[in-house]
Amino acid sequence: MNRKVKDQAVLILAHKNFDQLQKLIDRLNDTFELYIHFDKKMPLSDQQKTLLEANGVHYCSVYEVKWGSYRIVQATLALIKMALANPNLKYFHLVSGQDWPANNPQKIAAFYDHNERIYMDYWQALGTEKYHEKLIWWVKLYFNYDRINRRTFFGKFYHRFLILIQLLLRVDRIKKAGFKDEEIYVGQQWFDVPRDAMQYAYETFTGDPKWTRLFEKSFCSDEYWLQTVLCNSKFKSRISTNIHRYIVWEHRNGSRPAILDASDYEPICQGDYQWARKFELGVSDLLIEKLNQR
């Protein structure tokens, strides 16, 4: 039985493969309002726009997104702004165009109905490391990955050079923006958030320029902004770090995290998952078919 009023939104960050995205739209559209930001590197044809409009999908294409750059935050905020304009929406889910529902969409929606919990991965950036770098550095120092491709050989060398020079110069953007190191939190960018917390986070972040000053020159700020806003608010006590997402953090099928295939079906079914990633047509087809039959 279809839900008469769609009171939950799925926000989708898409950067490639419209055919796969169309299948995702078909899977979710009966249950959720859909809002999609298309990376400007993924231009839409008139036919694709017509398909989106015929399905009632809300979409925009504002930013050309580079990995690790602040534009991912800007694209996410654009989706949140669009979705908050609908007063019927009570819950918001952020996924990528390579995600897939791990359960029946109506069961997913039912789980979040009248649910005041915030499902968001987080931990304090201070004192933790990734790739042998202190995570606090990624906010404390200046980076400009809206212009530089961090994933190239030059980008990797440039990244290490930036860190070394700025540590020698004792750069501290956190202090300059009016924050303390212990106030900075980090986690995966994907979230499931009820309306009151989503509205608070959006209005807080966009309403005070200190947040832009803090994050616009950070590295991977999409993994910091929401965590830092909500973990320094009254909403922190409502956060659960179980984000109900099946992700395999290993290199498989040419990607890390892994491109999922049929071998992941049983682990998904045996776990407490609402979403899964990453999927790629040609590799994940059988898994998609089996998940759709759940």
Side-chain angles (χ1 to χ4, degrees):
M1 181 179 178
N2 290 339
R3 298 159 59 87
K4 292 182 179 180
V5 177
K6 297 176 184 178
D7 59 3
Q8 296 185 33
V10 176
L11 317 179
I12 303 174
L13 294 169
H15 72 284
K16 66 175 186 175
N17 202 337
F18 187 89
D19 290 343
Q20 179 174 326
L21 187 63
Q22 182 61 49
K23 292 178 182 291
L24 180 61
I25 290 169
D26 292 343
R27 182 65 174 149
L28 297 175
N29 203 29
D30 285 345
T31 307
F32 299 99
E33 286 287 342
L34 302 182
Y35 296 81
I36 306 175
H37 179 277
F38 290 93
D39 192 319
K40 293 197 80 171
K41 296 190 296 291
M42 183 185 175
L44 298 173
S45 68
D46 290 340
Q47 183 181 12
Q48 289 169 340
K49 292 178 182 178
T50 299
L51 279 170
L52 292 169
E53 290 159 10
N55 282 284
V57 175
H58 314 270
Y59 68 93
C60 63
S61 180
V62 184
Y63 301 101
E64 181 177 335
V65 176
K66 290 184 172 65
W67 181 77
S69 75
Y70 183 64
R71 287 180 185 163
I72 306 176
V73 176
Q74 291 176 302
T76 303
L77 290 169
L79 290 175
I80 293 171
K81 180 180 181 179
M82 290 171 63
L84 285 173
N86 182 344
N88 294 322
L89 296 176
K90 299 177 181 177
Y91 219 101
F92 303 81
H93 314 273
L94 180 68
V95 303
S96 84
Q98 288 186 278
D99 289 12
W100 202 264
N103 206 338
N104 182 294
Q106 291 189 20
K107 290 185 177 180
I108 295 174
F111 177 83
Y112 296 100
D113 268 345
H114 308 293
N115 188 337
E116 294 187 349
R117 298 287 283 175
I118 299 163
Y119 297 91
M120 181 184 72
D121 190 31
Y122 79 89
W123 62 91
Q124 203 169 39
L126 189 64
T128 57
E129 294 187 5
K130 190 174 184 179
Y131 308 130
H132 308 293
E133 295 176 10
K134 294 181 180 180
L135 290 183
I136 200 71
W137 292 349
W138 293 4
V139 180
K140 188 182 288 285
L141 308 179
Y142 286 92
F143 301 92
N144 60 336
Y145 294 129
D146 288 332
R147 297 185 178 184
I148 303 295
N149 187 343
R150 167 68 176 81
R151 286 183 155 171
T152 63
F153 176 80
F154 171 78
K156 293 175 183 178
F157 173 82
Y158 176 80
H159 178 78
R160 295 302 177 100
F161 176 77
L162 275 181
I163 290 175
L164 177 61
I165 291 299
Q166 292 183 82
L167 288 177
L168 289 173
L169 294 175
R170 297 187 178 182
V171 172
D172 191 344
R173 293 181 52 254
I174 295 174
K175 183 178 180 180
K176 186 175 180 180
F179 292 85
K180 299 176 182 177
D181 287 3
E182 55 268 25
E183 294 176 319
I184 308 303
Y185 288 81
V186 62
Q188 294 184 59
Q189 73 184 98
W190 318 112
F191 60 69
D192 307 276
V193 177
R195 186 179 186 94
D196 61 339
M198 192 84 275
Q199 190 142 8
Y200 170 83
Y202 178 81
E203 291 177 353
T204 298
F205 193 87
T206 60
D208 190 332
K210 72 176 184 179
W211 294 99
T212 302
R213 288 198 298 270
L214 178 65
F215 286 118
E216 68 178 343
K217 297 300 181 183
S218 299
F219 176 46
C220 291
S221 49
D222 54 305
E223 298 179 357
Y224 288 82
W225 80 273
L226 187 62
Q227 282 80 359
T228 301
V229 171
L230 292 181
C231 288
N232 288 287
S233 75
K234 65 181 182 180
F235 293 97
K236 186 177 182 182
S237 62
R238 286 167 50 187
I239 300 174
S240 168
T241 55
N242 179 2
I243 60 173
H244 301 285
R245 280 163 169 78
Y246 180 83
I247 305 173
V248 179
W249 291 102
E250 62 184 45
H251 194 274
R252 177 161 41 103
N253 294 321
S255 173
R256 185 183 189 279
I259 301 294
L260 305 181
D261 54 41
S263 67
D264 294 289
Y265 179 70
E266 289 302 327
I268 290 174
C269 291
Q270 292 168 7
D272 180 22
Y273 303 113
Q274 308 287 3
W275 308 96
R277 69 182 311 265
K278 300 163 60 174
F279 289 75
E280 193 81 51
L281 292 185
V283 177
S284 312
D285 302 51
L286 181 56
L287 176 58
I288 288 173
E289 181 181 343
K290 295 176 79 170
L291 288 173
N292 286 353
Q293 293 171 355
R294 285 193 72 179

